[in-house]
Amino acid sequence: AALSAEGRVRTAVLDVADGEAVRTFFGGLERIDVLVNNAGTGAPAAAVPDVSEDDWRRVVDTNLTGSFLCAQAAFALMLTQDPKGGRIINNGSISAHVPRPQGIAYTASKHAISGLTKGLELEGRAHGITACQIDIGNAATAMTERMEQGVLQPDGSIAVEPTFDPKIVADFVVRIAQLPTSVAVPALTVMAAGMPYVGRG
């Protein structure tokens, strides 16, 4: 979805890893003030030797390449629109800082989002384009339902992990989107209190 300064939203269903589809969508926009790169996926839990190449590529293509393609298209429009500038918000993860056991593809893709965000922030600086990475830990979504049954911990144990209402994340995204581009928020971490993070592993 694309949101304009006037609050208009334009949506489309597309594969973010399909560069042509992404370019077609953004090519139909006259202006974009905020891009939120939120598309993401994981892979089945697997030890490094057991990760399939297909799973690896699917995760990296969606989480990293998809975020890059959308950011690239939005960045190009933000450079040429009048007035120029805008904000790109990337969905990172606690896994952008510390891995979970048996989640190497997801972890690698989210570490790469940190580099993508920093690169966008640096190159956008002179043009009023800011980039932010929101690292989210255990928001209560379909992706984290397994936390309530217990998940593998680095010491080999299985433990239930706390979750929190994803509306809190949405509120942060809206607040950041409303800031003037003269204000940068390079990174934000929001997570369930008590979830394994500091000292995870």
Side-chain angles (χ1 to χ4, degrees):
L3 174 66
S4 73
E6 296 79 25
R8 292 191 308 267
V9 176
R10 180 176 171 192
T11 63
V13 177
L14 57 91
D15 178 357
V16 295
D18 179 344
E20 193 56 42
V22 169
R23 287 184 289 274
T24 298
F25 174 71
F26 282 90
L29 301 177
E30 295 178 8
R31 177 167 192 88
I32 184 165
D33 295 290
V34 179
L35 166 70
V36 180
N37 271 323
N38 191 49
T41 191
V48 172
D50 301 324
V51 175
S52 75
E53 183 177 341
D54 286 345
D55 282 341
W56 173 271
R57 289 186 184 279
R58 180 177 49 78
V59 170
V60 171
D61 283 352
T62 301
N63 296 0
L64 177 59
T65 304
S67 292
F68 167 72
L69 291 170
C70 291
Q72 182 184 46
F75 198 103
L77 182 54
M78 290 172 180
L79 282 176
T80 59
Q81 62 194 13
D82 185 22
K84 70 179 180 177
R87 189 176 300 277
I88 297 170
I89 301 172
N90 291 323
N91 186 344
S93 172
I94 298 299
S95 290
H97 303 275
V98 288
R100 282 192 178 279
Q102 301 186 349
I104 196 164
Y106 185 79
T107 295
S109 73
K110 292 302 184 175
H111 271 68
I113 289 295
S114 296
L116 175 67
T117 304
K118 291 172 184 175
L120 293 167
E121 175 67 25
L122 177 63
E123 293 198 32
R125 188 180 296 164
H127 308 287
I129 300 170
T130 66
C132 172
Q133 177 172 324
I134 299 183
D135 295 318
I136 303 163
N138 290 6
T141 65
M143 201 171 174
T144 59
E145 282 179 355
R146 61 194 177 98
M147 305 295 173
E148 296 170 11
Q149 281 74 49
V151 291
L152 182 63
Q153 302 297 308
D155 66 0
S157 65
I158 302 294
V160 172
E161 294 186 10
T163 60
F164 72 102
D165 186 345
K167 181 182 180 305
I168 294 167
V169 178
D171 291 343
F172 275 116
V173 170
V174 169
R175 182 65 187 111
I176 292 168
Q178 292 172 335
L179 294 171
T181 55
S182 59
V183 176
V185 182
L188 172 69
T189 301
V190 57
M191 61 186 230
M195 73 163 285
Y197 170 44
V198 177
R200 183 155 104 187

